[in-house]
Amino acid sequence: MTVPSSFPLPPRPVDFSVEPELLTAGGRALQSVGQALPDELPTLHRPSDAASTALSGWRTAAALDRCTGAWTERLKALAVDLDDKGARLVTTAAGYHDTNASVAQGMTELLAADSASRARTSGPAATPYRPAFR
């Protein structure tokens, strides 16, 4: 197979590693922010609410209220998104951890089986292979 010259190839192999503990910590941090954000909205709105009250009767107050409402909806959506993405990172980290543990267990079992097989066939009690048919 020939790769077209327009196909961009990396200059060298890319090193890639994953640390499940860091993914878990990052995911939990995102979840924490996502869950705390809705409780902080009243604090964030105080200045705009005070300005809207001071400008009562002006068109600016109505525009400020609409802007604050839109900002609130965007922050609520961001909070949900952060919580969701954080949960997905935690799930991904658990998947990496479980896969690593499974591979380690499988390799341990293979090495044990290989070691036992070598022990059975290396001594004087080992019999040569003989086909069952003639």
Side-chain angles (χ1 to χ4, degrees):
M1 177 176 144
T2 305
V3 177
S5 60
S6 63
F7 187 78
L9 294 175
R12 62 179 179 82
V14 178
D15 293 333
F16 183 80
S17 66
V18 174
E19 294 185 41
E21 296 79 19
L22 291 178
L23 283 180
T24 300
R28 288 192 178 139
L30 287 177
Q31 287 179 299
S32 177
V33 171
Q35 292 165 4
L37 191 57
D39 295 337
E40 296 297 321
L41 290 177
T43 303
L44 295 173
H45 293 166
R46 277 191 202 126
S48 64
D49 291 344
S52 181
T53 301
L55 295 169
S56 180
W58 291 76
R59 284 188 276 175
T60 306
L64 184 56
D65 287 340
R66 285 192 306 275
C67 182
T68 301
W71 179 242
T72 298
E73 293 309 309
R74 297 297 272 167
L75 286 175
K76 285 179 182 178
L78 175 63
V80 169
D81 197 37
L82 288 173
D83 189 38
D84 177 60
K85 298 301 189 274
R88 289 175 186 235
L89 277 176
V90 169
T91 299
T92 299
Y96 275 110
H97 183 277
D98 292 347
T99 299
N100 287 343
S102 176
V103 168
Q105 179 64 34
M107 293 301 287
T108 300
E109 291 170 4
L110 276 172
L111 290 172
D114 183 57
S115 181
S117 174
R118 288 176 190 257
R120 282 193 310 270
T121 59
S122 64
T127 56
Y129 171 74
R130 294 200 176 120
F133 56 88
R134 292 189 177 194

